[in-house]
Amino acid sequence: MDMVFRGGTVVTSHARFPADVYVKGEKIAAIGTDLTVPEGTKTIDATGKLVLPGAIDAHTHLEFPFNGTTSADDYFAGTRAAACGGVTMVFDFVTQRKGQGIREAVQPRDALCAPKACIDYSFHVALTDLTPAVLEEFADAAAAGLPSFKLYMVYKKDGLMMNDADIVAALERSKETGTLIAVHAENPDVIDRNIDIFRAKGKLTPWYHYKSRPEAVEAEADIRAIHWAKAVGAPLYIVHLANDEGMKAVRAAVNEGYPIYAETCPQYLHFTCDVYKRDDGRNFICSPPMKGQASQDALWEGLKEGYIRTVATDHCPFTQAQKDWGKDDFTKVPNGCMGVENLYPYLLSEATRGRIPYEKVVEVCAENPAKIFGCTEKGALVPGKDADIVLYDPTIPFTITNDKMHSDCDYTIWEGTELSGYITETYSRGKLVFEDGTFVGEKGWGKFVKCAPRKV
Ligand code: URP
Ligand code: ZN
């Protein structure tokens, strides 16, 4: 049914203003004050609320085969949790197996996802076998709506790592095809050496996950990837940036005019490496790990000043039983943390508390991911775009507890975190999918979003 949101404050990446939003079918049809709408249009009272574009989580791992197991949220549970956190589109990572083509890798994952997704989705493809045929396929993959590829600079022993020659080849081909290369930047050789040293000394508590992958391990790879992107003249997207020196390198490259896009995640903005000293430290094991306070401060500065272009979650939850595999040995803990339901509420709460403007949250959670990844119908409240709309009440106090979350995981690293304000409704292409704490969406509603490549 067509609807009009009245009485709310519309937030864009640049402004906040009182306006009505008229939705016709699945699209935003008009925005303005005292809009005249056809008879029979449903009125939604948004008085006292912010009216926001749905967030785009550019980094999730749903039913993700990894570290000898599979992440705890399947495409249904993960997108249900997303909808309940104001996320109206997720990008999931597909891992290319050796010998596979890009579209060949995506096809079975799309077949798994399509009947389960409650919100719209697309894929980034993590390339592990960069053959000439795969490089050639960049153009056809982009034409099929898949213009973004990730290279793991890490996970050497898992057979996922891409070397510097691969990085250069992928960057060169991305420049020719308008595609975008993303990197997970950490130095695998140094990590493996550190792990060997700690194992020999019996140092296997979660703290040594951080100590084996400290700031310098991530920074070296950030700097190396930026170096090659600059040398090739191609854009680069750095996923889950979490360290101070890497942030400095991004800042310098951007100031020199290079298109280096940095993503960070809420867990790096909120937690420090001190979590690895906790009894439940294994639940926080993800890669890269949370870093020290100086890194967290640098990320906040980078976010405020526009050097962090997106905030996404790297949502990759593992159950308590899965995490417990590494109770006595951090190297056996599956790497990954949850966050898809916490991203928008956490950052909006920080905005309510005055740390950043609401406009910045819309920019990094909706508008920038849409622009960077070519989601032309998404990311902003603009006539003609999809009616992906979130209502947010800044006056609601909310304490995160796992029983209020909509993931299939049996705990949350965010347990007990107090927020100022919370999301009350999420609409996916005009369909109500979350209302006052309850998921009201539908399995299979979500559609694959064909992303547009950059113009070359
Ligand atoms: O620890 C993490 N981040 N797990 C998911 C895989 C990855 O590295 O992104
Ligand atoms: Zn990831």
Side-chain angles (χ1 to χ4, degrees), residues 73-85:
D73 278 338
D74 71 358
Y75 284 112
F76 174 59
T79 56
R80 177 184 62 196
C84 299

Side-chain angles (χ1 to χ4, degrees), residues 59 61 64 66 150 152 155 184 240 268 285-288 314 316 335-337:
H59 193 152
H61 300 273
F64 180 54
F66 190 60
K150 180 168 81 168
Y152 288 106
Y155 302 135
H184 172 148
H240 47 46
Y268 303 119
I285 287 187
C286 60
S287 293
D314 198 9
C316 187
N335 283 210
C337 292

Side-chain angles (χ1 to χ4, degrees), residues 99-323:
Q100 273 186 327
I102 298 170
R103 288 160 297 165
E104 187 190 356
V106 168
Q107 195 279 326
R109 298 299 292 181
D110 191 22
L112 259 184
C113 183
K116 297 186 190 177
C118 319
I119 54 156
D120 294 345
Y121 63 92
S122 195
F123 299 104
H124 306 300
V125 182
L127 299 171
T128 65
D129 194 12
L130 204 62
T131 61
V134 168
L135 285 166
E136 185 61 31
E137 199 192 340
F138 274 30
D140 287 340
L146 299 163
S148 50
F149 311 115
K150 180 168 81 168
L151 306 182
Y152 288 106
M153 299 170 76
V154 69
Y155 302 135
K156 193 174 185 175
K157 290 183 175 169
D158 306 276
L160 299 173
M161 190 199 87
M162 301 268 78
N163 64 29
D164 291 359
D166 296 321
I167 293 170
V168 171
L171 286 167
E172 284 180 358
R173 184 67 180 141
S174 76
K175 201 176 155 184
E176 291 166 3
T177 51
T179 54
L180 180 63
I181 298 302
V183 287
H184 172 148
E186 288 186 291
N187 184 307
D189 294 323
V190 177
I191 292 169
D192 288 342
R193 174 178 182 270
N194 288 342
I195 289 174
D196 288 346
I197 291 170
F198 293 134
R199 192 195 304 284
K201 293 181 179 168
K203 294 181 168 179
L204 293 170
T205 64
W207 177 246
Y208 292 95
H209 174 68
Y210 163 62
K211 292 298 276 183
S212 62
R213 319 171 89 103
E215 279 78 347
V217 161
E218 188 188 331
E220 183 279 333
D222 289 327
I223 292 163
R224 184 157 36 102
I226 291 169
H227 172 86
W228 288 122
K230 284 168 64 173
V232 168
L236 175 74
Y237 185 92
I238 301 177
V239 299
H240 47 46
L241 185 83
N243 77 98
D244 181 10
E245 201 183 338
M247 188 72 256
K248 280 200 187 82
V250 169
R251 182 185 287 265
V254 170
N255 287 344
E256 287 169 45
Y258 291 97
I260 307 293
Y261 307 115
E263 165 197 286
T264 194
C265 309
Q267 58 270 33
Y268 303 119
L269 293 168
H270 189 65
F271 301 106
T272 68
C273 54
D274 284 349
V275 292
Y276 299 112
K277 296 176 182 163
R278 290 169 41 161
D279 287 345
D280 62 349
R282 63 189 171 285
N283 293 346
F284 293 81
I285 287 187
C286 60
S287 293
M290 282 51 135
K291 304 294 198 312
Q293 190 61 56
S295 285
Q296 189 177 92
D297 293 345
L299 295 176
W300 273 106
E301 280 312 303
L303 177 63
K304 287 177 191 169
E305 293 171 9
Y307 296 99
I308 294 282
R309 298 291 295 278
T310 64
V311 184
T313 65
D314 198 9
H315 182 83
C316 187
F318 292 99
T319 63
Q320 193 58 75
Q322 289 172 307
K323 288 287 191 185

Side-chain angles (χ1 to χ4, degrees), residues 13-32:
S13 63
H14 290 98
R16 218 179 304 171
F17 49 90
D20 303 334
V21 178
Y22 172 45
V23 171
K24 199 164 165 42
E26 297 188 359
K27 296 283 181 185
I28 296 170
I31 299 185

